[in-house]
Amino acid sequence: MADGTAALVQAAPLIAARGLNKIYPTQSGAPVVALQDVSFTLRQGEFVTVVGPSGCGKSTLLKILAGILRRSSGQVTLAGREIDGPSRDVGVVFQAPVLLPWRNVLQNVLLPIDIQRLDRKAHTPRARALLEMVGLAGFADKYPNELSGGMQQRVGITRALVHDPALLLMDEPFGALDAMTREAMNLELLRIWGEARKTVMLVTHSIPEAVFLADRVIVMSPRPGRITEVIEVDLPRPRDLSMINSAGFGAYVAAIRAHFQSLGALDA
Amino acid sequence: MADGTAALVQAAPLIAARGLNKIYPTQSGAPVVALQDVSFTLRQGEFVTVVGPSGCGKSTLLKILAGILRRSSGQVTLAGREIDGPSRDVGVVFQAPVLLPWRNVLQNVLLPIDIQRLDRKAHTPRARALLEMVGLAGFADKYPNELSGGMQQRVGITRALVHDPALLLMDEPFGALDAMTREAMNLELLRIWGEARKTVMLVTHSIPEAVFLADRVIVMSPRPGRITEVIEVDLPRPRDLSMINSAGFGAYVAAIRAHFQSLGALDA
Amino acid sequence: QGGLKRVRIAVGTTNLNLAYPWLTLPVALGWWQEAGYAVEVLPVGASLQALQQMVAGNAEFAQLNSSVVIQANVQNNIPVRAVMNNGVIDWSLSVLEDGPVKTVADLKGKTIGVFSLATGGIAFLRSYLRAAGMNPDSDVRLVPVGLGAPPIEALRNNRVQALLYWASAQAGFQNAGLKLRHLRGEDWQSYPDFTFSTLQKTIEADPAMVEAIARGCARATEFVMASPDCQRRLHWARWPSTRPTGADEATLAQWDLNNLEAQLGSMHAAHAMNGGQLWGRATPEAYGRIQTFMQEAGLIQRSIDPATYMVSIPDFYTKINNFDAAATRALAAACPAT
Amino acid sequence: MTIPRGRLELLLSILLFVVFVLGWEAACVLLEVPAIVVPAPSAVAVAMYAGLASGELVTHFWVTFAEVLLGFVFGAGAGFVLGVLVGLFPLMERTVYPYIVAFQTLPKVAIAPIIVIWFGYGMESKVVITATIAFFPVLANTIVGLRAIPREQVELMVAFTASRWQVFRMARLPQALPYVFVGLDVAIVLSVIGAIVGEFVGSQAGLGYLILQRNFNLDMAGVFAILIILSLMGIGLHLAVNAVQRRVVFWMASSTDRVMGA
Amino acid sequence: MTIPRGRLELLLSILLFVVFVLGWEAACVLLEVPAIVVPAPSAVAVAMYAGLASGELVTHFWVTFAEVLLGFVFGAGAGFVLGVLVGLFPLMERTVYPYIVAFQTLPKVAIAPIIVIWFGYGMESKVVITATIAFFPVLANTIVGLRAIPREQVELMVAFTASRWQVFRMARLPQALPYVFVGLDVAIVLSVIGAIVGEFVGSQAGLGYLILQRNFNLDMAGVFAILIILSLMGIGLHLAVNAVQRRVVFWMASSTDRVMGA
Ligand SMILES: Nc1ncnc2c1ncn2[C@@H]1O[C@H](COP(=O)(O)OP(=O)(O)OP(=O)(O)O)[C@@H](O)[C@H]1O
Ligand SMILES: Nc1ncnc2c1ncn2[C@@H]1O[C@H](COP(=O)(O)OP(=O)(O)OP(=O)(O)O)[C@@H](O)[C@H]1O
Ligand SMILES: [Mg+2]
Ligand SMILES: [Mg+2]
């Protein structure tokens, strides 16, 4: 199952998908085509964001990359190897927080450490530091049902970072956060990415966020999900919030927005 | 429990809260002060939005108003009557979708109809129309686990509208939606509110959204949640998306943002 | 069954096989029906349950062990009456025929298998051992081995050296292939055991019924004594599910006959003990003996007048034996087809 | 694996059966287990054939089967209803439940005479004894199942002014069904035992009655043939409960197992 | 309500007890229930006192209690372990589980003689009989409980490369605990019955033995005194299981009931 220590180093592209399809069976009979002929590559060290209308298959795509959902057809490789299960060097943030109710916040954050049989003691300071970073320092010993929605989501983000994975797959990680917290988290994420040279694929429904964070923005069409546009964001790094007011930034946002609108906002 | 047919008509203010406090006990012992001395009024027909940092008590406040969470102290009245339980003429959107897994989408939407023993047949066309409006026309017979996160949230919104309640309490209803869908939903909500003269209290983490929708924006401080500012939004109605680019709009957004920033974005 | 009076007999057994001819033959041959009674014979488990059913009004008669009749009267103040005495204490100790135990004295230091530690035979065993100069508490060990395969296996494997069981159980052991020698106290067969009983109030309310039912029992006894094999055939025909299974027809018939013979032996002994004239006769002397024995064994704390146990109808046993014995024997010999 | 999973399971199941029977036969021969303790499967097969051919096993089967079904229906029904009452009125849990547990620990054999006195010698008393046994697992599972609802679902229901009864019917109950069905599964199996115990106490028909007869005559092969029939009855009823469960609790079906690599 | 809830419950519980005992006594007198069937509570109280004072009930209590506990531990333990195996290896469910159901439907009374032959006449055979009874509810509940995990949790675990065993230990198992504890609750109650049935088959000590003894002496008040002790044992063990459950499954505690108006 697990790739074990299979290093995700070198060898660009890190992820390569070719002609990916996903069809879900449903109880009412009619199957749903979630992904249709999706192809893209993700280079080592790249920060890619994915935008697309609700229900277009973003989460589906991420789960396939995370190795927890079987594709219906097509090819995906991670570091050159066909994906047939999850890898240790990947951190996943799910769209819903999915915390284990019998573990307190700190224990939830340490879950990947426990799973990967790393040293709990050695990683606890890092876990606490990450919790501090996301503003949950005082909540380490609280239980999930004692947290607000946004706090739960932040625990989920911390959990994905705790084992310092090289690849981050994040499904709308900041969706439940207020604007200020969200901006702060964006900056933190960019800092971590820049310092530790990670590769990130992040789904978001905020176009400015997508532009602000990304090297490239992947735009998906309404169901059946296809990639209709890949936009290179050629803005200088490191970025800070002031850039949001720049003309270049605005142009990217407007372009994606326009493209988006041409696809029809609501799926039916 | 239920207020029965207690009409919410006339008699401004519709909601009046005075000195509201909420303290949660926790398993680790130390109780959490979620709301501190919260007072405000909500006039009949008003559209009020609430912004505030994650974990500041927005959901807590909404649950108290919905009559499903007991306040620790203070007073709240709905249409002049002390709130001691939920009312029929209220529609609630929760932060998480909370769909019943054994009901398909249409059945989930019709839940309030079933609970309030209204005529299912008579309300089904309305339910279908609302589903169409939120872009889920083809999903009426799917089950919740067959939907994407954003689709689930849209089912939750539809459910709150189906019995045409006079008061809507909405907790980040558009949080999981992409920008386009979100804007479309904003416009739809304003249309419904304008046509049916509803009263709405909506929690959001998007400051532009808060300004765009509201007559007044309530700004809350980090935990312990207090109301630090109430901003009257004096922008013309009916509003459309073009307004977002107006100077007045920008000024409101900037003011709230500034105020927000002065409070410290992340709670600890 | 319009017009017939309903009578129920609760039998202290789980297994109403052919060993209760005085209860089953009158049903099989329709005698009670002719006399105006619709009789149900119900196996209800054990003596206690039979007594409970009778006392609760769910049965007019109960087939009980004599000890239960005594205890019910003495300890529980329940006026149970011995309508008929159908047997004597037929318990025995069985040992392997070719085993080391030949006499009671050889039992010293041995282990004895019993049905359970709350079983009637133990009191007799204790007095038997005491009479032989042994201390029943220290010189032998008792282990409860239940019924069926365990006692047989226990004896075969020398986990016990003797089995203390009633006659039909012993017959079963022999049917299973054990070659057994039997030891029993000389006095054992002087005590009445199997008792067809009813409540005093039933006798007072309907003496004619009690008499009629008992007459059927007595006549059935006459019948079965004349032809045990006819009883077997009638019983098998009427209650096919009680016939043994698991071997060829002839063997099965032989097994069931062995079983029946064990019972008939006990019935004969009771008959002889009670005067040898009238079937089913119960006597105050006999019940007095068992009462005395039980008091000495500590099973009851006091005694009552043995006459109390008797049915208060004058000449009762003469009346119930008032049937055409010769004709009955002839019928048995012919064995009516069913 | 090239063999489809269903096939594999069937194959394994049959293999297991064959191994089991052969092992049993071998043990009887090699270990010289006396037939009076455990008869050889061949002897049991003969007894089974004889019993089926004569129709004896069949008639008694139906008696016991009826007792099992009726006892199950009444017992499980009562357990469910009482579980629902305790679920609706939590006060009952601390006050009435201990009495139920107390009643439940009474050995049925000890109270059987009372049941026979009240319900007679016929099928009724066996049905009642079966019901008293089938009752408790359903009760215990129902109570806990009704409590297993997530807080958010209760909030949802209440926010839309659901009455206590509606919360129960529309949310708690469906949520409890997986638990209830475990209770039913345990109950159906205990029902088979219950009917047999009831027949042991005193009866004139049924497989339990037949066991007593054959036990008395040391016909162990005959007894084992009955035990096998009882087992088949148990498996059949268990499969029936499971089939109903899959239809009723459809939304829990399978999906879990399809996580890749799990 | 001005009476605090705990008090109210206690009060109601005591009231119920008093009503029950008075009703029983009244029924005995008014309905003329014969004492040989159901003795009056006063007579039972006398017998209870005598038994306790002489120490007879106490010594036999400990024998039975030990059998119940040991049988429960072994039976529930085996049920849990097997449930876990079935949970880990779904293949076992279709292949082995039917055999377990089959075994479970065998009336213990019918196979008790075999158990006695194999395990002797001492405490062992009673423990084994108890264990075979305690086993199944735990097994059935464990299997279903292990399946009750939400798909997202499995996805979470697997995404972080949890092995099958880790998914089991860190997610499935905690998720299954509420189910397992219902199984344990049912099992502990059945264990009491199991030990008594075991003692009925043949024993030299224990409350079941004493029931036989007193049955033989037609001492129904004495029998009922034992039945009451058995009930108390059942209630006590049930409460103990519940107390452990509350500590172990702490995250499910109470919170549900605090939704306003629910
Ligand atoms: N388990 C499932 N069974 C059946 N259909 C599914 C399942 N999961 C997702 N789908 C369908 O697949 C499509 C894509 O779902 P997905 O969750 O990938 O969308 P998404 O892009 O993440 O949407 P959102 O932004 O709303 O989260 C949707 O139409 C949904 O109905
Ligand atoms: N059931 C609970 N038990 C204990 N503490 C709780 C509970 N629910 C909420 N809290 C605490 O109360 C505070 C306010 O929570 P609330 O959910 O109202 O925040 P919020 O403003 O809605 O946040 P968000 O934007 O993240 O949803 C938080 O600090 C949280 O930890
Ligand atoms: Mg998604
Ligand atoms: Mg919230």
Side-chain angles (χ1 to χ4, degrees):
Chain A
M1 280 173 274
D3 251 6
T5 46
L8 305 175
V9 281
Q10 302 99 15
L14 182 61
I15 292 180
R18 282 230 316 215
L20 216 54
N21 288 292
K22 176 66 193 181
I23 298 162
Y24 285 108
T26 69
Q27 294 197 17
S28 56
V32 171
V33 181
L35 292 179
Q36 198 171 57
D37 195 20
V38 168
S39 306
F40 69 94
T41 58
L42 193 57
R43 286 186 298 275
Q44 177 75 32
E46 209 178 4
F47 200 131
V48 168
T49 56
V50 181
V51 296
S54 171
C56 75
K58 305 181 294 293
S59 301
T60 302
L61 178 60
L62 237 66
K63 284 184 189 173
I64 291 175
L65 298 183
I68 55 176
L69 190 68
R70 216 172 286 280
R71 54 196 179 274
S72 302
S73 64
Q75 261 205 332
V76 218
T77 57
L78 174 65
R81 284 172 58 172
E82 194 87 1
I83 292 180
D84 63 349
S87 301
R88 288 171 70 97
D89 217 7
V90 175
V92 182
V93 180
F94 293 89
Q95 190 168 6
V98 199
L99 305 178
L100 301 179
W102 49 87
R103 287 180 164 238
N104 66 24
V105 166
L106 182 63
Q107 290 164 342
N108 264 291
V109 169
L110 289 172
L111 183 70
I113 304 301
D114 291 348
I115 289 179
Q116 303 188 359
R117 295 182 210 284
L118 304 173
D119 184 0
R120 216 191 220 222
K121 272 246 181 62
H123 284 80
T124 303
R126 180 179 163 83
R128 287 194 184 277
L130 286 168
L131 281 174
E132 171 119 42
M133 179 193 96
V134 301
L136 290 175
F139 285 81
D141 62 348
K142 294 276 183 286
Y143 283 86
N145 66 353
E146 299 168 349
L147 303 184
S148 77
M151 291 159 90
Q152 290 181 11
Q153 204 178 23
R154 283 179 274 160
V155 176
I157 296 167
T158 315
R159 181 177 57 196
L161 295 171
V162 71
H163 58 306
D164 201 13
L167 173 64
L168 281 170
L169 299 172
M170 310 177 94
D171 197 352
E172 308 192 6
F174 311 128
L177 300 180
D178 60 282
M180 302 301 125
T181 312
R182 186 166 190 155
E183 284 168 2
M185 298 290 292
N186 277 344
L187 291 175
E188 287 294 340
L189 182 59
L190 280 183
R191 185 182 58 74
I192 292 171
W193 170 71
E195 281 173 10
R197 286 278 88 194
K198 296 184 183 309
T199 310
V200 181
M201 182 154 184
L202 182 147
V203 172
T204 177
H205 33 255
S206 160
I207 296 173
E209 184 173 270
V211 174
F212 181 72
L213 294 171
D215 295 326
R216 281 192 297 158
V217 179
I218 293 179
V219 183
M220 291 182 68
S221 71
R223 186 162 22 73
R226 277 162 290 115
I227 295 180
T228 55
E229 189 89 61
V230 180
I231 295 163
E232 298 272 343
V233 179
D234 207 0
L235 292 171
R237 298 215 186 245
R239 300 172 184 172
D240 61 22
L241 292 177
S242 65
M243 195 180 79
I244 292 176
N245 302 318
S246 73
F249 186 86
Y252 280 117
V253 172
I256 295 174
R257 187 177 281 269
H259 180 76
F260 219 115
Q261 236 137 10
S262 76
L263 295 169
L266 284 180
D267 60 347
Chain B
M1 282 174 274
D3 252 5
T5 46
L8 306 173
V9 280
Q10 302 98 13
L14 181 61
I15 291 180
R18 281 228 318 212
L20 215 54
N21 287 291
K22 176 65 194 182
I23 299 164
Y24 285 108
T26 71
Q27 292 198 18
S28 57
V32 170
V33 181
L35 292 180
Q36 199 173 56
D37 196 20
V38 168
S39 306
F40 69 94
T41 58
L42 192 58
R43 286 186 297 275
Q44 176 75 33
E46 209 177 5
F47 200 130
V48 168
T49 56
V50 181
V51 296
S54 170
C56 74
K58 306 180 293 293
S59 300
T60 302
L61 178 61
L62 236 65
K63 283 185 189 173
I64 290 176
L65 298 182
I68 55 175
L69 189 68
R70 217 172 286 281
R71 54 197 178 273
S72 301
S73 64
Q75 263 204 331
V76 219
T77 57
L78 174 65
R81 286 173 56 169
E82 194 86 2
I83 292 180
D84 63 348
S87 300
R88 288 173 69 99
D89 217 7
V90 175
V92 183
V93 180
F94 294 89
Q95 192 169 5
V98 199
L99 305 178
L100 301 179
W102 49 87
R103 286 179 165 241
N104 67 24
V105 166
L106 183 64
Q107 291 164 341
N108 263 291
V109 169
L110 289 172
L111 184 70
I113 303 302
D114 291 348
I115 290 179
Q116 302 188 359
R117 294 181 210 285
L118 304 173
D119 184 359
R120 216 190 218 223
K121 273 246 181 63
H123 284 80
T124 303
R126 179 178 165 84
R128 288 194 182 275
L130 285 168
L131 280 175
E132 170 120 45
M133 180 192 93
V134 300
L136 291 175
F139 285 82
D141 62 349
K142 293 277 182 287
Y143 283 85
N145 65 353
E146 299 169 348
L147 302 185
S148 76
M151 292 160 90
Q152 291 181 12
Q153 204 178 24
R154 283 179 273 161
V155 175
I157 296 167
T158 316
R159 180 178 59 195
L161 295 171
V162 72
H163 57 307
D164 202 14
L167 173 64
L168 281 170
L169 300 172
M170 309 177 95
D171 197 352
E172 309 192 5
F174 311 128
L177 300 181
D178 62 281
M180 301 302 126
T181 313
R182 188 166 190 154
E183 284 167 3
M185 298 291 290
N186 278 345
L187 291 175
E188 286 293 342
L189 181 59
L190 280 183
R191 186 183 58 74
I192 291 171
W193 169 72
E195 281 174 9
R197 285 278 89 194
K198 297 184 184 307
T199 310
V200 181
M201 183 155 185
L202 181 146
V203 173
T204 178
H205 33 256
S206 161
I207 296 174
E209 183 173 272
V211 173
F212 181 73
L213 294 172
D215 294 326
R216 281 190 298 158
V217 179
I218 293 178
V219 182
M220 292 182 68
S221 72
R223 189 162 18 77
R226 277 162 290 115
I227 294 180
T228 56
E229 189 89 57
V230 179
I231 293 162
E232 299 273 342
V233 179
D234 208 1
L235 292 170
R237 297 213 186 249
R239 299 172 185 172
D240 59 24
L241 291 178
S242 66
M243 196 180 78
I244 292 177
N245 301 318
S246 73
F249 185 86
Y252 279 115
V253 170
I256 295 172
R257 187 177 280 269
H259 179 76
F260 218 114
Q261 236 137 10
S262 74
L263 296 169
L266 282 181
D267 60 346
Chain C
Q1 298 193 333
L4 294 183
K5 196 156 186 254
R6 187 167 177 227
V7 175
R8 289 155 302 176
I9 303 171
V11 189
T13 180
T14 51
N15 186 25
L16 193 69
N17 62 9
L18 84 175
Y20 305 85
W22 63 95
L23 299 178
T24 54
L25 265 178
V27 175
L29 294 171
W31 292 344
W32 282 327
Q33 201 159 352
E34 285 163 20
Y37 300 96
V39 179
E40 282 176 273
V41 184
L42 303 158
V44 297
S47 283
L48 169 62
Q49 283 78 17
L51 176 66
Q52 286 176 325
Q53 298 300 334
M54 181 168 72
V55 172
N58 274 10
E60 284 68 34
F61 297 93
Q63 185 66 43
L64 304 173
N65 289 114
S66 59
S67 61
V68 172
V69 176
I70 308 285
Q71 279 168 320
N73 278 284
V74 176
Q75 307 274 86
N76 302 72
N77 294 317
I78 304 171
V80 180
R81 300 295 172 251
V83 178
M84 300 176 88
N85 178 10
N86 317 93
V88 295
I89 296 294
D90 61 358
W91 291 71
S92 63
L93 276 163
S94 57
V95 297
L96 287 177
E97 198 164 47
D98 48 4
V101 182
K102 308 286 183 208
T103 69
V104 59
D106 298 332
L107 283 171
K108 197 174 174 94
K110 297 287 192 291
T111 302
I112 299 172
V114 296
F115 172 60
S116 89
L117 290 179
T119 190
I122 290 177
F124 295 99
L125 174 68
R126 292 171 65 87
S127 92
Y128 182 41
L129 293 175
R130 229 181 271 114
M134 275 187 265
N135 179 350
D137 291 313
S138 57
D139 287 341
V140 297
R141 209 165 78 83
L142 300 184
V143 285
V145 290
L147 213 52
I152 297 169
E153 285 305 300
L155 189 65
R156 258 191 200 142
N157 300 331
N158 202 32
R159 282 208 247 180
V160 301
Q161 288 76 46
L163 293 171
L164 177 69
Y165 281 83
W166 53 95
S168 70
Q170 301 278 19
F173 300 157
Q174 276 163 310
N175 286 344
L178 290 182
K179 297 265 176 295
L180 298 176
R181 172 202 312 283
H182 296 279
L183 306 173
R184 60 165 71 86
E186 275 164 18
D187 58 331
W188 291 10
Q189 300 220 347
S190 71
Y191 301 116
D193 192 4
F194 241 5
T195 305
F196 184 61
S197 58
T198 190
L199 293 173
Q200 177 66 32
K201 67 169 187 219
T202 309
I203 299 172
E204 285 162 11
D206 195 352
M209 183 270 285
V210 174
E211 198 183 308
I213 298 299
R215 183 175 299 111
C217 296
R219 192 175 166 206
T221 311
E222 182 79 43
F223 184 101
V224 72
M225 292 296 176
S227 174
D229 194 57
C230 183
Q231 150 69 358
R232 177 190 66 77
R233 273 183 281 158
L234 288 172
H235 194 87
W236 281 18
R238 173 71 201 243
W239 289 278
S241 63
T242 65
R243 54 177 288 180
T245 45
D248 63 277
E249 187 85 4
T251 314
L252 294 177
Q254 191 52 52
W255 284 356
D256 241 9
L257 272 181
N258 292 346
N259 188 352
L260 180 59
E261 292 293 354
Q263 189 73 281
L264 295 184
S266 181
M267 289 166 74
H268 259 303
H271 184 61
M273 174 179 82
N274 293 316
Q277 301 293 320
L278 300 169
W279 290 121
R281 181 162 182 243
T283 60
E285 296 75 30
Y287 284 83
R289 275 197 301 279
I290 182 91
Q291 177 175 261
T292 307
F293 175 84
M294 287 176 69
Q295 194 174 5
E296 282 167 3
L299 295 173
I300 51 175
Q301 267 61 55
R302 63 190 181 92
S303 294
I304 58 174
D305 178 1
T308 316
Y309 299 116
M310 298 299 114
V311 173
S312 53
I313 300 173
D315 296 324
F316 181 67
Y317 296 102
T318 316
K319 285 180 185 161
I320 67 169
N321 275 279
N322 180 18
F323 55 83
D324 188 342
T328 303
R329 280 194 299 275
L331 185 66
C335 199
T338 39
Chain D
M1 278 185 268
T2 45
I3 312 167
R5 179 145 171 195
R7 271 278 187 75
L8 186 70
E9 280 168 357
L10 192 70
L11 226 78
L12 259 172
S13 214
I14 292 173
L15 194 74
L16 216 69
F17 179 75
V18 172
V19 168
F20 174 70
V21 170
L22 288 182
W24 175 5
E25 184 88 42
C28 287
V29 175
L30 298 178
L31 304 179
E32 295 178 42
V33 179
I36 197 170
V37 178
V38 179
S42 48
V44 175
V46 171
M48 178 76 85
Y49 177 78
L52 291 176
S54 75
E56 187 177 31
L57 284 180
V58 182
T59 33
H60 289 282
F61 170 86
W62 286 116
V63 173
T64 302
F65 190 65
E67 291 165 2
V68 169
L69 277 193
L70 286 171
F72 172 73
V73 167
F74 287 120
F80 179 69
V81 169
L82 217 85
V84 165
L85 287 177
V86 172
L88 283 178
F89 309 105
L91 193 66
M92 284 187 68
E93 172 146 24
R94 302 263 179 97
T95 50
V96 179
Y97 197 55
Y99 289 92
I100 297 172
V101 172
F103 171 70
Q104 214 43 40
T105 44
L106 298 181
K108 299 300 156 291
V109 188
I111 55 167
I114 304 173
I115 292 175
V116 170
I117 286 169
W118 286 343
F119 295 94
Y121 304 102
M123 199 184 255
E124 293 87 344
S125 56
K126 280 89 202 167
V127 169
V128 169
I129 290 174
T130 305
T132 61
I133 293 184
F135 161 82
F136 189 60
V138 180
L139 174 74
N141 273 284
T142 303
I143 291 176
V144 176
L146 288 175
R147 248 193 255 129
I149 188 169
R151 186 186 165 86
E152 304 84 59
Q153 282 186 13
V154 181
E155 288 184 347
L156 163 72
M157 296 299 294
V158 172
F160 286 105
T161 70
S163 65
R164 180 183 284 269
W165 168 249
Q166 285 178 317
V167 175
F168 166 73
R169 190 166 54 81
M170 299 183 187
R172 271 189 208 283
L173 184 60
Q175 198 72 48
L177 284 179
Y179 281 84
V180 174
F181 272 99
V182 195
L184 291 177
D185 195 14
V186 175
I188 195 82
V189 168
L190 286 181
S191 291
V192 178
I193 298 183
I196 297 301
V197 168
E199 289 175 2
F200 278 0
V201 170
S203 65
Q204 291 167 290
L207 295 174
Y209 164 77
L210 217 54
I211 287 179
L212 283 182
Q213 302 295 330
R214 294 182 171 188
N215 246 336
F216 185 84
N217 296 312
L218 297 177
D219 176 14
M220 285 300 135
V223 170
F224 270 65
I226 299 174
L227 293 182
I228 286 172
I229 289 181
L230 286 177
S231 294
L232 292 177
M233 192 194 290
I235 292 177
L237 291 169
H238 154 77
L239 292 177
V241 167
N242 269 23
V244 174
Q245 187 264 355
R246 269 195 301 279
R247 305 213 107 211
V248 174
V249 197
F250 64 91
W251 64 92
M252 284 205 110
S254 62
S255 76
T256 305
D257 257 11
R258 276 182 277 147
V259 178
M260 198 170 159
Chain E
M1 279 186 266
T2 47
I3 311 168
R5 179 145 170 194
R7 272 277 188 74
L8 185 70
E9 279 170 357
L10 193 70
L11 225 81
L12 258 173
S13 215
I14 292 174
L15 194 76
L16 215 68
F17 179 75
V18 172
V19 167
F20 175 69
V21 171
L22 288 182
W24 176 3
E25 184 90 43
C28 287
V29 176
L30 297 179
L31 304 179
E32 296 177 41
V33 180
I36 187 102
V37 177
V38 180
S42 47
V44 175
V46 171
M48 178 77 85
Y49 177 78
L52 292 175
S54 74
E56 188 181 27
L57 284 180
V58 181
T59 35
H60 289 285
F61 170 87
W62 287 117
V63 173
T64 302
F65 191 66
E67 290 165 2
V68 169
L69 278 193
L70 285 172
F72 172 72
V73 167
F74 287 120
F80 178 70
V81 169
L82 217 85
V84 166
L85 287 177
V86 173
L88 283 177
F89 309 106
L91 193 65
M92 284 186 68
E93 172 147 22
R94 303 262 179 96
T95 49
V96 179
Y97 196 57
Y99 288 93
I100 298 171
V101 172
F103 171 70
Q104 213 42 41
T105 42
L106 299 181
K108 299 302 157 292
V109 189
I111 55 167
I114 302 174
I115 293 176
V116 168
I117 287 173
W118 285 344
F119 293 93
Y121 304 102
M123 197 184 257
E124 293 85 344
S125 56
K126 282 89 200 169
V127 170
V128 170
I129 291 173
T130 306
T132 59
I133 293 185
F135 163 81
F136 189 60
V138 180
L139 174 74
N141 274 282
T142 302
I143 291 175
V144 176
L146 288 174
R147 246 192 257 132
I149 189 169
R151 185 185 166 89
E152 302 85 58
Q153 283 186 12
V154 181
E155 288 184 346
L156 164 72
M157 297 298 295
V158 172
F160 287 105
T161 68
S163 65
R164 180 183 285 267
W165 168 248
Q166 284 177 319
V167 175
F168 166 73
R169 190 167 54 81
M170 299 184 186
R172 271 188 210 283
L173 183 60
Q175 199 72 47
L177 285 178
Y179 281 85
V180 173
F181 272 99
V182 195
L184 292 177
D185 195 16
V186 175
I188 195 82
V189 167
L190 287 180
S191 291
V192 178
I193 297 184
I196 297 300
V197 168
E199 288 176 0
F200 279 178
V201 172
S203 66
Q204 293 163 286
L207 294 173
Y209 160 77
L210 215 55
I211 288 180
L212 285 184
Q213 201 69 242
R214 294 182 170 188
N215 257 341
F216 178 71
N217 294 321
L218 305 189
D219 176 11
M220 290 326 279
V223 169
F224 269 67
I226 298 173
L227 294 184
I228 285 172
I229 290 182
L230 286 176
S231 293
L232 293 177
M233 191 194 290
I235 293 177
L237 291 169
H238 156 75
L239 292 178
V241 167
N242 268 24
V244 174
Q245 187 264 354
R246 268 195 302 277
R247 307 213 106 211
V248 174
V249 196
F250 64 91
W251 65 92
M252 283 206 110
S254 60
S255 76
T256 304
D257 258 12
R258 279 183 276 147
V259 178
M260 198 171 160

